[in-house]
Amino acid sequence: MRTSPSPRSRRHRRTRTRPAIRLTAGFLAAAALLVSACSSGNSTPSASGRVEAALAELPRATPSALAPYYAQRLRWRDCGVPGFQCATMRAPLDYDKPDAGDVRLAVARKKATGKGKPLGSLLVNPGGPGGSAIAYLQQYAGVGYPAQVRARYDMVAMDPRGVARSEPVECLDGRQMDAYTQTDMTPDDAKERKALVAADRRFAESCGARSARLLRHVSTVEAARDMDILRAALGDRKLNYVGASYGTFLGATYAGLFPGRVGRMVLDGAMDPSLDARRLNLDQTAGFETAFRAFAKDCVRHSDCPLGGRGTTPAQAGDHLQAFFRKLDAHPIPAGDAHGRKLGEALATTGVIASMYDEGTWQELREALASAMRKNDGAGLLSLSDSYYERDTDDRYSNLMMANAAVNCLDLPPAFSGPEGVEKALPAFEKASPVFGPGLAWAALSCTYWPVRATGGPHRIEAKGAAPIVVVGTVRDPATPYRWARSLAAQLSSARLLTYDGDGHTAYGRGSTCIDTAIDTYLLHGTPPSPGKRCS
């Protein structure tokens, strides 16, 4: 298991239409700026007990060295998808050395076509880090956002540096990724621990060898600064933005750096930038346990549930699933794969985790588990895992997991310094989730061997002076626990917290009329939800 799902959200495991967040490289990102270099003079204890500084606003005047980037105009062209246009934007590879070369970033838009006063551009990001914002725009946001929103805004997306169409980070090839994703993430002895460490080292070394130029410059702070160049290139005075999952961290970082340029901003499935990697991992582990218990309660109501029948508790259902994982650890089962892959513990766990993002996939998961546990057929769970990893039938992977690691490992120091640290932390992770805890604890080891030192650390984001920002939290969100939304809303000086009392990852566009109406009203009229608003 190499995960922990942006958004970057919904989500788009199979349809590629919703946001996601994933865990590989010591977990999802938390902050990408040296705290010592950005302190605003205010501080507060973090959840880990340390005092963390707040992200400081950048100077309002554009430095002369960046003026050519801010003055550029995008050349739009047809990009093969009806109704959408594409362009390429230049940004400095290194903002500290703007003359040291460019990075070229892919941008797409769908022009507003409806009646009414145009509201400018609405930038969207589905999360990850590593999720393609352009794919999200073309497959979901540009066609699935409410018609009245699409009528008034030019819908815009930019793949962040290192992602998809924007000079993608490259690491392992398809066959190598197959081996990596099947690495045993619950080592039982010294030999298996050594194999896990070796796999993490190979992954990190391949990224360093194949993406050396870019690897030091894919932080969230740099991506947020790219967004401000895009704002200028689009001709907008303010940035209007909807970010999901990791996209909330990207948006909040923008607000912290450029508070005076924040327009209408929605942060759905919020992250907490004040937490360190270990605490982020631990919180998310608990979040997946909460989601699994909700799934288990639903599963045992159905006659085909392989985890137990009516009267089976979520804890007992979890015991059944753990026993199944242990069986797969010893004896992988056939999965109908053309390349001979079998379903082992790692891929099965990923398949289950992938289904925790959206209760709409629970039936599919239930059926996949039944086939695997009762018929020795792992095809359903393998399909869920492949969808999560964005692996196609020709054993090719998108660069999502590679970009995910690159951003995470640059944004935040590793959760553990070595296997010994993981072993000491295992009891806490197992307490947070008996089902997923051990695997998620070991997954947090990969940043330990990253070839580039992290440039970021935990910090608060206040964005003093920003326009109202809507922070959305889902009570039983597995990937971005609700407490993170509350924390981010408390940090941001102008935040309004909008709560969805429901299941799944993120809330906008997932079936709650209350949530959708509140966000649409804000995007169209600038009126944020009332304080404390709660929807179901």
Side-chain angles (χ1 to χ4, degrees):
M1 171 189 56
R2 289 273 170 199
T3 63
S4 158
S6 193
R8 334 304 95 306
S9 305
R10 68 253 65 35
R11 124 176 178 21
H12 73 261
R13 287 301 159 240
R14 303 181 8 182
T15 61
R16 302 289 190 267
T17 56
R18 297 217 183 219
I21 186 168
R22 312 187 180 233
L23 168 102
T24 57
F27 186 53
L28 46 135
L33 195 60
L34 289 171
V35 172
S36 61
C38 65
S39 172
S40 65
N42 299 318
S43 59
T44 189
S46 72
S48 58
R50 293 191 298 273
V51 174
E52 307 298 355
L55 182 66
E57 177 182 0
L58 288 174
R60 298 191 180 188
T62 300
S64 58
L66 297 180
Y69 294 104
Y70 274 84
Q72 70 185 293
R73 288 294 175 259
L74 301 179
R75 297 181 180 179
W76 297 101
R77 62 187 184 278
D78 178 78
C79 50
V81 179
F84 292 87
Q85 298 174 306
C86 291
T88 300
M89 188 189 86
R90 294 182 304 107
L93 176 67
D94 185 346
Y95 276 91
D96 290 333
K97 300 176 181 178
D99 297 329
D102 296 344
V103 59
R104 295 184 177 273
L105 308 176
V107 183
R109 75 176 178 185
K110 186 176 185 182
K111 293 282 289 181
T113 57
K115 297 179 180 179
K117 181 181 179 181
L119 295 173
S121 305
L122 180 63
L123 184 66
V124 297
N125 183 281
S132 171
I134 291 177
Y136 175 70
L137 175 71
Q138 294 177 341
Q139 298 172 21
Y140 177 67
V143 294
Y145 265 38
Q148 62 270 34
V149 173
R150 291 183 283 116
R152 303 281 300 281
Y153 284 101
D154 291 345
M155 301 293 295
V156 179
M158 176 172 66
D159 282 349
R161 51 177 62 205
V163 173
R165 298 165 176 84
S166 294
E167 299 195 22
V169 169
E170 296 180 348
C171 303
L172 303 176
D173 64 26
R175 292 300 179 89
Q176 292 169 330
M177 277 296 293
D178 276 350
Y180 185 62
T181 59
Q182 295 177 76
T183 302
D184 187 350
M185 295 301 296
T186 56
D188 300 313
D189 53 36
K191 181 179 179 181
E192 291 184 351
R193 287 193 294 274
K194 184 177 180 180
L196 187 155
V197 169
D200 283 336
R201 287 187 183 278
R202 281 194 297 272
F203 182 84
E205 289 168 1
S206 71
C207 296
R210 299 186 65 185
S211 300
R213 173 180 179 269
L214 195 61
L215 219 55
R216 288 179 172 81
H217 298 290
V218 292
S219 71
T220 298
V221 161
E222 288 164 310
R225 297 189 70 172
D226 295 341
M227 286 164 54
D228 197 53
I229 293 177
L230 176 60
R231 173 200 59 76
L234 293 169
D236 291 336
R237 190 172 62 88
K238 303 276 182 132
L239 180 78
N240 302 308
Y241 178 82
V242 177
S245 200
Y246 162 80
T248 68
F249 178 53
L250 184 58
T253 299
Y254 179 90
L257 297 173
F258 306 101
R261 298 173 190 170
V262 171
R264 297 171 187 177
M265 179 173 284
V266 178
L267 307 178
D268 184 12
M271 289 181 58
D272 181 357
S274 72
L275 303 181
D276 61 25
R278 183 181 182 278
R279 178 58 184 270
L280 284 167
N281 270 297
L282 197 57
D283 281 359
Q284 196 185 47
T285 298
F288 279 104
E289 180 68 18
T290 297
F292 172 75
R293 287 174 175 264
F295 162 73
K297 288 180 181 179
D298 178 78
C299 183
V300 299
R301 298 189 183 106
H302 299 269
S303 60
D304 62 343
C305 179
L307 302 179
R310 291 185 181 275
T312 301
T313 67
Q316 290 169 334
D319 290 341
H320 290 313
L321 186 59
Q322 286 179 273
F324 174 59
F325 286 159
R326 287 193 294 270
K327 178 182 176 181
L328 292 177
D329 189 26
H331 303 288
I333 64 175
D337 180 61
H339 297 283
R341 289 180 303 156
K342 291 188 174 182
L343 183 76
E345 181 185 17
L347 294 175
T349 304
T350 300
V352 173
I353 278 184
S355 301
M356 294 298 100
Y357 283 83
D358 187 345
E359 64 273 26
T361 65
W362 286 358
Q363 178 180 345
E364 181 181 2
L365 174 59
R366 188 176 72 246
E367 294 171 352
L369 284 170
S371 292
M373 297 174 74
R374 293 173 175 169
K375 302 177 182 178
N376 216 44
D377 179 2
L381 284 174
L382 182 63
S383 177
L384 288 168
S385 177
D386 284 351
S387 179
Y388 179 87
Y389 285 126
E390 296 192 356
R391 179 194 189 275
D392 66 21
T393 55
D394 295 320
D395 80 0
R396 294 173 302 190
Y397 290 75
S398 77
N399 94 309
L400 186 151
M401 303 309 295
M402 303 171 203
N404 180 272
V407 176
N408 286 340
C409 294
L410 196 60
D411 273 354
L412 200 65
F416 302 109
S417 60
E420 299 78 14
V422 178
E423 290 170 351
K424 290 179 181 179
L426 279 175
F429 278 78
E430 290 170 345
K431 181 178 180 181
S433 175
V435 178
F436 304 117
L440 291 180
W442 284 105
L445 187 64
S446 53
C447 274
T448 302
Y449 309 106
W450 202 244
V452 176
R453 183 181 295 273
T455 57
H459 60 251
R460 294 174 300 110
I461 300 179
E462 297 173 351
K464 292 181 178 179
I469 297 172
V470 176
V471 175
V472 189
T474 298
V475 171
R476 291 177 295 281
D477 190 319
T480 51
Y482 179 61
R483 68 169 64 181
W484 293 358
R486 290 188 299 177
S487 178
L488 181 60
Q491 294 170 47
L492 292 168
S493 62
S494 62
R496 288 285 180 87
L497 178 62
L498 175 61
T499 298
Y500 175 47
D501 188 355
D503 297 290
H505 185 38
T506 73
Y508 187 39
R510 287 177 40 84
S512 170
T513 301
C514 175
I515 289 287
D516 293 352
T517 299
I519 293 177
D520 293 345
T521 298
Y522 169 68
L523 290 176
L524 293 170
H525 306 291
T527 305
S530 58
K533 187 172 181 62
R534 195 176 186 94
C535 297
S536 60

Coordinates of all heavy atoms in Angstrom, one line a residue, residues 46-108:
S46 N 1.9 24.3 18.2 CA 1.3 23.4 17.3 C 0.8 22.2 18.0 O 1.0 22.0 19.2 CB 2.3 22.9 16.2 OG 3.3 22.0 16.8
A47 N 0.1 21.3 17.3 CA -0.4 20.1 17.9 C 0.7 19.2 18.5 O 0.5 18.4 19.4 CB -1.2 19.3 16.9
S48 N 1.9 19.3 18.0 CA 3.1 18.6 18.4 C 3.8 19.3 19.6 O 4.8 18.8 20.1 CB 4.0 18.3 17.3 OG 4.5 19.5 16.7
G49 N 3.3 20.4 20.0 CA 3.9 21.1 21.1 C 4.9 22.2 20.8 O 5.3 22.9 21.7
R50 N 5.3 22.2 19.5 CA 6.3 23.2 19.1 C 5.6 24.5 18.8 O 4.4 24.6 18.5 CB 7.1 22.8 17.9 CG 8.0 21.6 18.2 CD 8.9 21.4 17.0 NE 8.2 21.1 15.8 CZ 7.8 19.8 15.5 NH1 8.1 18.8 16.3 NH2 7.2 19.6 14.3
V51 N 6.4 25.6 18.9 CA 5.8 26.9 18.5 C 6.1 27.2 17.0 O 7.2 27.1 16.6 CB 6.5 28.0 19.3 CG1 6.0 29.4 18.9 CG2 6.1 27.9 20.8
E52 N 5.0 27.3 16.3 CA 5.1 27.5 14.8 C 4.8 28.9 14.4 O 3.8 29.6 14.9 CB 4.1 26.6 14.1 CG 4.3 25.1 14.5 CD 5.6 24.5 14.2 OE1 6.5 25.2 13.6 OE2 5.9 23.4 14.6
A53 N 5.6 29.5 13.5 CA 5.4 30.8 13.0 C 4.3 30.8 11.9 O 3.9 29.8 11.4 CB 6.7 31.4 12.4
A54 N 3.8 32.0 11.6 CA 2.7 32.1 10.6 C 3.4 32.5 9.3 O 4.4 33.2 9.2 CB 1.7 33.2 11.0
L55 N 2.8 32.0 8.2 CA 3.3 32.3 6.9 C 3.2 33.8 6.6 O 2.1 34.4 6.9 CB 2.5 31.5 5.8 CG 2.9 31.7 4.4 CD1 4.2 31.1 4.1 CD2 1.8 31.0 3.5
A56 N 4.3 34.4 6.2 CA 4.3 35.9 6.0 C 3.9 36.3 4.6 O 4.2 35.6 3.6 CB 5.7 36.4 6.3
E57 N 3.2 37.4 4.5 CA 2.8 38.0 3.2 C 4.1 38.4 2.5 O 5.0 38.9 3.0 CB 1.9 39.2 3.5 CG 1.5 39.9 2.2 CD 0.6 41.1 2.5 OE1 0.4 41.4 3.7 OE2 0.2 41.8 1.6
L58 N 4.1 38.2 1.2 CA 5.1 38.7 0.3 C 4.9 40.2 0.0 O 3.8 40.7 0.2 CB 5.1 37.9 -1.0 CG 5.6 36.5 -1.0 CD1 5.4 35.8 -2.4 CD2 7.1 36.4 -0.6
P59 N 6.0 40.9 -0.3 CA 5.9 42.3 -0.6 C 4.8 42.5 -1.7 O 4.7 41.7 -2.7 CB 7.3 42.7 -1.1 CG 8.2 41.7 -0.4 CD 7.4 40.4 -0.4
R60 N 4.1 43.6 -1.6 CA 3.0 43.8 -2.6 C 3.5 44.2 -4.0 O 2.8 43.9 -5.0 CB 2.0 44.8 -2.0 CG 1.3 44.3 -0.7 CD 0.2 45.2 -0.3 NE -0.4 44.7 0.9 CZ -1.5 45.2 1.5 NH1 -2.1 46.2 0.9 NH2 -2.0 44.7 2.6
A61 N 4.6 44.9 -4.0 CA 5.2 45.3 -5.3 C 5.9 44.1 -5.9 O 6.6 43.4 -5.3 CB 6.1 46.4 -5.1
T62 N 5.6 43.9 -7.2 CA 6.3 42.8 -8.0 C 7.7 43.1 -8.2 O 8.1 44.2 -8.7 CB 5.6 42.7 -9.3 OG1 4.2 42.4 -9.2 CG2 6.3 41.6 -10.1
P63 N 8.6 42.3 -7.8 CA 10.1 42.5 -8.0 C 10.4 42.7 -9.5 O 9.8 42.0 -10.3 CB 10.7 41.2 -7.4 CG 9.7 40.7 -6.4 CD 8.4 41.0 -7.0
S64 N 11.3 43.5 -9.8 CA 11.6 43.8 -11.2 C 12.0 42.6 -11.9 O 11.7 42.4 -13.1 CB 12.7 44.9 -11.3 OG 13.9 44.5 -10.6
A65 N 12.7 41.7 -11.3 CA 13.2 40.5 -11.9 C 12.0 39.6 -12.4 O 12.2 38.7 -13.3 CB 14.1 39.7 -11.0
L66 N 10.9 39.7 -11.7 CA 9.7 38.9 -12.1 C 8.8 39.6 -13.0 O 7.8 39.0 -13.5 CB 8.9 38.5 -10.8 CG 9.7 37.6 -9.8 CD1 8.7 37.4 -8.6 CD2 10.1 36.3 -10.4
A67 N 9.0 40.9 -13.3 CA 8.1 41.7 -14.2 C 7.9 41.0 -15.5 O 6.7 41.0 -16.0 CB 8.7 43.1 -14.4
P68 N 8.9 40.4 -16.2 CA 8.6 39.8 -17.5 C 7.6 38.6 -17.4 O 6.8 38.4 -18.3 CB 10.0 39.3 -18.0 CG 10.9 40.2 -17.3 CD 10.3 40.4 -15.9
Y69 N 7.6 37.9 -16.3 CA 6.7 36.8 -16.1 C 5.3 37.4 -15.9 O 4.3 36.8 -16.5 CB 7.1 36.0 -14.9 CG 8.4 35.2 -15.1 CD1 9.6 35.7 -14.5 CD2 8.5 34.1 -15.9 CE1 10.8 35.0 -14.7 CE2 9.6 33.4 -16.1 CZ 10.8 33.9 -15.5 OH 12.0 33.2 -15.7
Y70 N 5.2 38.4 -15.1 CA 3.9 39.0 -14.8 C 3.3 39.7 -16.0 O 2.1 39.8 -16.1 CB 3.9 39.9 -13.6 CG 3.8 39.2 -12.3 CD1 4.9 38.6 -11.7 CD2 2.5 39.2 -11.7 CE1 4.7 38.0 -10.5 CE2 2.4 38.6 -10.4 CZ 3.5 37.9 -9.8 OH 3.3 37.3 -8.6
A71 N 4.1 40.1 -17.0 CA 3.6 40.8 -18.1 C 3.3 39.9 -19.3 O 2.7 40.4 -20.3 CB 4.7 41.8 -18.6
Q72 N 3.6 38.6 -19.2 CA 3.3 37.8 -20.3 C 1.8 37.6 -20.6 O 1.0 37.8 -19.7 CB 3.9 36.4 -20.1 CG 3.2 35.6 -19.0 CD 3.9 34.2 -18.7 OE1 4.0 33.4 -19.6 NE2 4.5 34.1 -17.5
R73 N 1.5 37.4 -21.8 CA 0.1 37.1 -22.2 C 0.0 35.7 -22.8 O 0.8 35.3 -23.6 CB -0.4 38.2 -23.3 CG -0.6 39.6 -22.7 CD -1.7 39.5 -21.7 NE -1.9 40.8 -21.0 CZ -1.5 41.0 -19.7 NH1 -0.8 40.1 -19.1 NH2 -1.7 42.2 -19.2
L74 N -1.0 35.0 -22.4 CA -1.2 33.6 -22.8 C -1.7 33.6 -24.3 O -2.6 34.3 -24.7 CB -2.1 32.9 -21.9 CG -1.7 32.9 -20.4 CD1 -2.7 32.2 -19.6 CD2 -0.3 32.3 -20.2
R75 N -1.2 32.6 -25.0 CA -1.6 32.4 -26.4 C -2.5 31.1 -26.4 O -2.0 30.0 -26.3 CB -0.4 32.2 -27.3 CG 0.5 33.4 -27.4 CD 1.7 33.2 -28.3 NE 2.5 34.4 -28.5 CZ 3.6 34.5 -29.2 NH1 4.0 33.4 -29.9 NH2 4.3 35.6 -29.2
W76 N -3.8 31.4 -26.5 CA -4.7 30.3 -26.4 C -4.8 29.6 -27.7 O -4.8 30.2 -28.8 CB -6.1 30.8 -25.9 CG -6.0 31.4 -24.5 CD1 -6.0 32.7 -24.2 CD2 -6.0 30.6 -23.3 NE1 -6.0 32.8 -22.8 CE2 -6.0 31.6 -22.3 CE3 -6.0 29.3 -23.0 CZ2 -5.9 31.2 -20.9 CZ3 -6.0 28.9 -21.7 CH2 -5.9 29.9 -20.6
R77 N -5.0 28.2 -27.6 CA -5.2 27.4 -28.8 C -6.2 26.3 -28.5 O -6.4 26.0 -27.3 CB -3.8 26.8 -29.2 CG -3.3 25.9 -28.2 CD -1.9 25.4 -28.4 NE -1.4 24.5 -27.4 CZ -0.8 24.8 -26.3 NH1 -0.7 26.1 -26.0 NH2 -0.4 23.9 -25.4
D78 N -6.7 25.7 -29.5 CA -7.5 24.5 -29.4 C -6.7 23.4 -28.8 O -5.6 23.2 -29.2 CB -8.2 24.1 -30.7 CG -9.0 22.9 -30.6 OD1 -10.2 23.0 -30.1 OD2 -8.6 21.8 -30.9
C79 N -7.3 22.6 -27.8 CA -6.5 21.5 -27.2 C -7.2 20.2 -27.4 O -6.9 19.3 -26.6 CB -6.2 21.8 -25.8 SG -7.5 22.3 -24.7
G80 N -8.1 20.1 -28.4 CA -8.6 18.8 -28.7 C -9.8 18.3 -27.9 O -10.4 17.3 -28.2
V81 N -10.2 19.1 -27.0 CA -11.4 18.8 -26.2 C -12.4 19.9 -26.5 O -12.2 21.1 -26.2 CB -11.1 18.7 -24.7 CG1 -12.4 18.4 -23.9 CG2 -10.1 17.7 -24.4
P82 N -13.6 19.6 -27.1 CA -14.5 20.6 -27.5 C -14.9 21.6 -26.3 O -15.2 21.2 -25.2 CB -15.8 19.8 -27.9 CG -15.2 18.5 -28.3 CD -14.0 18.2 -27.4
G83 N -14.8 22.9 -26.6 CA -15.1 23.9 -25.7 C -14.0 24.4 -24.8 O -14.1 25.4 -24.1
F84 N -12.8 23.7 -24.9 CA -11.7 24.1 -24.1 C -10.5 24.6 -24.9 O -10.3 24.2 -26.0 CB -11.2 22.9 -23.3 CG -12.2 22.4 -22.2 CD1 -13.2 21.5 -22.5 CD2 -12.1 22.9 -20.9 CE1 -14.1 21.1 -21.6 CE2 -13.0 22.5 -20.0 CZ -14.0 21.6 -20.3
Q85 N -9.8 25.6 -24.3 CA -8.6 26.1 -24.9 C -7.4 25.8 -24.0 O -7.6 25.7 -22.8 CB -8.7 27.6 -25.1 CG -9.9 28.0 -26.1 CD -10.0 29.6 -26.1 OE1 -10.2 30.2 -25.0 NE2 -10.0 30.1 -27.3
C86 N -6.2 25.8 -24.6 CA -5.0 25.5 -23.8 C -4.0 26.5 -24.1 O -4.0 27.2 -25.2 CB -4.5 24.1 -24.1 SG -5.5 22.8 -23.5
A87 N -3.0 26.7 -23.2 CA -1.9 27.6 -23.3 C -0.8 27.2 -22.5 O -0.9 26.2 -21.6 CB -2.4 29.0 -22.9
T88 N 0.4 27.8 -22.7 CA 1.6 27.5 -21.9 C 2.0 28.7 -21.2 O 2.1 29.8 -21.9 CB 2.7 26.9 -22.8 OG1 2.2 25.7 -23.4 CG2 3.9 26.6 -21.9
M89 N 2.3 28.7 -19.9 CA 2.7 29.8 -19.2 C 4.1 29.6 -18.6 O 4.5 28.5 -18.2 CB 1.8 30.1 -18.0 CG 2.0 31.4 -17.2 SD 1.1 31.5 -15.7 CE 2.2 30.6 -14.5
R90 N 4.9 30.6 -18.7 CA 6.3 30.5 -18.1 C 6.3 31.0 -16.7 O 5.7 32.0 -16.3 CB 7.3 31.4 -18.9 CG 7.5 30.9 -20.4 CD 8.5 31.8 -21.1 NE 8.1 33.2 -21.1 CZ 8.8 34.1 -20.4 NH1 9.8 33.8 -19.6 NH2 8.4 35.4 -20.4
A91 N 7.1 30.4 -15.9 CA 7.4 30.8 -14.5 C 8.9 30.5 -14.2 O 9.5 29.7 -14.8 CB 6.5 30.1 -13.5
P92 N 9.5 31.3 -13.3 CA 10.9 31.0 -12.9 C 11.0 29.7 -12.3 O 10.2 29.3 -11.4 CB 11.2 32.2 -12.0 CG 10.0 32.6 -11.4 CD 8.9 32.4 -12.5
L93 N 12.0 28.9 -12.7 CA 12.3 27.6 -12.0 C 12.6 27.9 -10.5 O 12.0 27.2 -9.6 CB 13.5 26.9 -12.6 CG 13.9 25.6 -12.0 CD1 12.9 24.6 -12.1 CD2 15.2 25.2 -12.6
D94 N 13.4 28.9 -10.2 CA 13.8 29.3 -8.9 C 13.4 30.7 -8.6 O 14.0 31.6 -9.2 CB 15.3 29.0 -8.7 CG 15.8 29.3 -7.3 OD1 15.0 29.9 -6.5 OD2 16.9 28.9 -7.0
Y95 N 12.5 31.0 -7.7 CA 12.0 32.4 -7.5 C 13.1 33.2 -6.8 O 13.1 34.4 -6.9 CB 10.8 32.4 -6.6 CG 9.5 32.2 -7.4 CD1 9.0 31.0 -7.7 CD2 8.9 33.3 -8.0 CE1 7.8 30.8 -8.5 CE2 7.7 33.2 -8.8 CZ 7.2 31.9 -9.0 OH 6.1 31.8 -9.8
D96 N 14.1 32.5 -6.2 CA 15.2 33.3 -5.6 C 16.2 33.7 -6.7 O 17.1 34.6 -6.5 CB 15.9 32.5 -4.5 CG 15.0 32.3 -3.3 OD1 14.2 33.2 -3.0 OD2 15.2 31.3 -2.6
K97 N 16.2 33.0 -7.8 CA 17.1 33.2 -8.9 C 16.3 33.2 -10.2 O 16.4 32.3 -11.1 CB 18.2 32.2 -9.0 CG 19.1 32.1 -7.7 CD 20.1 31.0 -7.8 CE 20.9 30.9 -6.5 NZ 21.8 29.7 -6.6
P98 N 15.5 34.3 -10.5 CA 14.6 34.3 -11.6 C 15.3 34.2 -13.0 O 14.7 33.8 -14.0 CB 13.9 35.6 -11.5 CG 14.0 36.0 -10.1 CD 15.3 35.5 -9.6
D99 N 16.6 34.5 -13.0 CA 17.3 34.4 -14.3 C 17.9 33.0 -14.6 O 18.6 32.8 -15.6 CB 18.4 35.5 -14.3 CG 17.9 36.9 -14.2 OD1 16.8 37.1 -14.7 OD2 18.6 37.7 -13.6
A100 N 17.6 32.1 -13.7 CA 18.3 30.8 -13.8 C 17.5 29.8 -14.7 O 17.9 28.6 -14.8 CB 18.5 30.2 -12.4
G101 N 16.5 30.3 -15.3 CA 15.7 29.4 -16.2 C 14.2 29.3 -15.9 O 13.8 29.8 -14.8
D102 N 13.5 28.8 -16.8 CA 12.0 28.8 -16.7 C 11.5 27.3 -16.4 O 12.2 26.4 -16.7 CB 11.4 29.2 -18.0 CG 11.7 30.7 -18.3 OD1 12.1 31.4 -17.4 OD2 11.5 31.1 -19.5
V103 N 10.3 27.3 -15.9 CA 9.5 26.1 -16.0 C 8.2 26.4 -16.8 O 7.7 27.5 -16.6 CB 9.2 25.6 -14.6 CG1 8.4 26.6 -13.8 CG2 8.4 24.3 -14.6
R104 N 7.8 25.5 -17.6 CA 6.7 25.8 -18.5 C 5.5 25.0 -18.0 O 5.5 23.8 -17.8 CB 7.0 25.4 -20.0 CG 8.1 26.3 -20.5 CD 8.4 26.1 -22.0 NE 9.4 27.0 -22.4 CZ 9.2 28.3 -22.9 NH1 7.9 28.7 -22.9 NH2 10.1 29.1 -23.3
L105 N 4.4 25.8 -17.7 CA 3.2 25.2 -17.1 C 2.0 25.2 -18.0 O 1.7 26.2 -18.7 CB 2.9 26.1 -15.8 CG 4.1 26.3 -14.9 CD1 3.7 27.2 -13.7 CD2 4.6 24.9 -14.3
A106 N 1.3 24.1 -18.0 CA 0.2 23.9 -18.9 C -1.1 24.5 -18.2 O -1.3 24.3 -17.0 CB -0.1 22.4 -19.2
V107 N -1.8 25.3 -19.0 CA -3.0 25.9 -18.6 C -4.2 25.6 -19.5 O -4.0 25.4 -20.7 CB -2.9 27.5 -18.5 CG1 -4.1 28.2 -18.0 CG2 -1.6 27.9 -17.7
A108 N -5.4 25.5 -19.0 CA -6.6 25.3 -19.8 C -7.7 26.1 -19.3 O -7.7 26.5 -18.1 CB -7.0 23.8 -19.8

